[in-house]
Amino acid sequence: AWSKTYATIQKVMEPALIKASKQVTVASLRGKGPMELVQTTWSLVVEDLDTHGVKLFLRIFEIAPQALQLFSFKDEVPLEQSAGMRKHAAGVMKTVGDAVAGLSDVKSLIPVLEALGGRHAKYGVQAEHFGIVGQALLWTLEQGLGELWTAEVADAWSKTYATIQKVMEPALQAEVARKKKVRDAWALVENNIEDLAVKFFMRMVEISP
């Protein structure tokens, strides 16, 4: 009977003890480096990722209301209950999480961020949007972390986002420039499309009479 009683007590107390030992406090953050500060505090954000994602996007639209027009859920009301926004926000927060995890291997992370930056060109994202997202992200983290948002944590996150932006922004600009070159080249073709079409078919006949 006593064995079963103790087993029950252990079953209840042991998880609580483990959880308590992992609790993050202001004191436990002291002395940690920037990467560890970011990864440790992000582990707390992950516990309610969807809520923080919604807060992030609502903050983005508070800072830059016109940015809403870039998204497919722009007409969904009320916005805070938009399924489309929640899904997109969840994806963005997962990407942030991937970047945070990738801080341990920056060489592998850089090409991932470059590809991500380039892909955003097709959505009409502009370079100035990175600053808006960064501002909104830091605000969201501050709200979520409360007293854990110390000067050191804020500095670590600011530098981390600046690094992410430094990689993604040039990739976005390069892809925007590439697409512009393609559009400009096609515009020249359209201006003389009949003559070029004739030349094209004549050349086909030459190649394969």
Side-chain angles (χ1 to χ4, degrees), residues 11-75:
K11 187 176 180 181
V12 173
M13 293 184 65
E14 190 172 317
L17 178 63
I18 293 172
K19 183 177 181 181
S21 69
K22 293 182 178 179
Q23 281 184 344
V24 179
T25 64
V26 172
S28 71
L29 292 175
R30 293 194 187 106
K32 293 183 183 293
M35 183 181 75
E36 195 173 0
L37 285 173
V38 168
Q39 293 180 333
T40 299
T41 52
W42 181 254
S43 69
L44 301 176
V45 175
V46 169
E47 293 177 1
D48 196 6
L49 202 61
D50 290 346
T51 297
H52 292 304
V54 169
K55 286 182 178 180
L56 168 65
F57 270 81
L58 291 177
R59 184 61 174 173
I60 288 172
F61 301 140
E62 285 180 10
I63 298 170
Q66 69 278 10
L68 179 59
Q69 300 307 309
L70 296 173
F71 298 92
S72 59
F73 52 80
K74 60 182 181 294
D75 297 321

Side-chain angles (χ1 to χ4, degrees), residues 23-30 37 41 44 139-154:
Q23 281 184 344
V24 179
T25 64
V26 172
S28 71
L29 292 175
R30 293 194 187 106
L37 285 173
T41 52
L44 301 176
W139 178 88
T140 302
L141 292 169
E142 181 179 6
Q143 298 301 304
L145 293 173
E147 66 174 9
L148 297 178
W149 186 254
T150 62
E152 292 77 15
V153 170

Side-chain angles (χ1 to χ4, degrees), residues 50-129:
D50 290 346
T51 297
H52 292 304
V54 169
K55 286 182 178 180
L56 168 65
F57 270 81
L58 291 177
R59 184 61 174 173
I60 288 172
F61 301 140
E62 285 180 10
I63 298 170
Q66 69 278 10
L68 179 59
Q69 300 307 309
L70 296 173
F71 298 92
S72 59
F73 52 80
K74 60 182 181 294
D75 297 321
E76 295 181 22
V77 291
L79 189 58
E80 59 272 15
Q81 297 178 18
S82 163
M85 187 185 75
R86 287 178 176 275
K87 181 179 179 180
H88 191 84
V92 169
M93 295 301 275
K94 181 182 180 302
T95 299
V96 174
D98 291 342
V100 169
L103 293 175
S104 303
D105 185 5
V106 176
K107 286 186 178 180
S108 298
L109 178 61
I110 287 176
V112 174
L113 293 177
E114 287 176 335
L116 183 61
R119 286 201 301 273
H120 275 72
K122 66 182 179 181
Y123 302 123
V125 173
Q126 300 174 15
E128 56 266 28
H129 292 147

